[in-house]
Amino acid sequence: ARAFEYYRDQASAEAGYGKTVVVTIKKGDDAGKAAKILNKAGLITSEFYFENLVRFSGKEIKPASYSLKKGMSTRTIVDLIT
């Protein structure tokens, strides 16, 4: 069990989980553009999933600079930026 915890912690550290990343969503950016920005920043892994969550939330992306943490769920990110 200790070996698993060690490797899990190493993988988390290498992935940067918990690291704060600042991203800027500009006025006019739609869910697709926001998804590309978030994916490039390493905050989401599926642009398709992000875009669908935004679409089904019925909300709009709010332009702003956001401080987000790696490892946050895609749903949490959607809640924060819509």
Side-chain angles (χ1 to χ4, degrees), residues 28-59:
D29 285 353
D30 61 7
K33 176 68 174 169
K36 287 185 186 340
I37 292 166
L38 295 166
N39 193 356
K40 188 173 181 181
L43 293 163
I44 64 170
T45 55
S46 172
E47 294 178 22
F48 177 78
Y49 180 62
F50 174 84
E51 290 179 58
N52 280 302
L53 280 178
V54 172
R55 183 175 300 121
F56 293 120
S57 75
K59 299 178 184 176

Side-chain angles (χ1 to χ4, degrees), residues 1-75:
R2 284 206 187 281
F4 170 77
E5 291 171 3
Y6 171 79
Y7 287 109
R8 181 198 61 207
D9 293 345
Q10 287 297 111
S12 294
E14 289 172 19
Y17 290 140
K19 179 182 175 195
T20 299
V21 179
V22 177
V23 293
T24 301
I25 307 296
K26 297 178 182 158
K27 186 175 182 180
D29 285 353
D30 61 7
K33 176 68 174 169
K36 287 185 186 340
I37 292 166
L38 295 166
N39 193 356
K40 188 173 181 181
L43 293 163
I44 64 170
T45 55
S46 172
E47 294 178 22
F48 177 78
Y49 180 62
F50 174 84
E51 290 179 58
N52 280 302
L53 280 178
V54 172
R55 183 175 300 121
F56 293 120
S57 75
K59 299 178 184 176
E60 296 288 321
I61 301 287
K62 296 179 193 168
S65 286
Y66 297 95
S67 293
L68 304 170
K69 292 189 184 294
K70 286 192 172 189
M72 294 177 110
S73 72
T74 302
R75 187 173 299 276

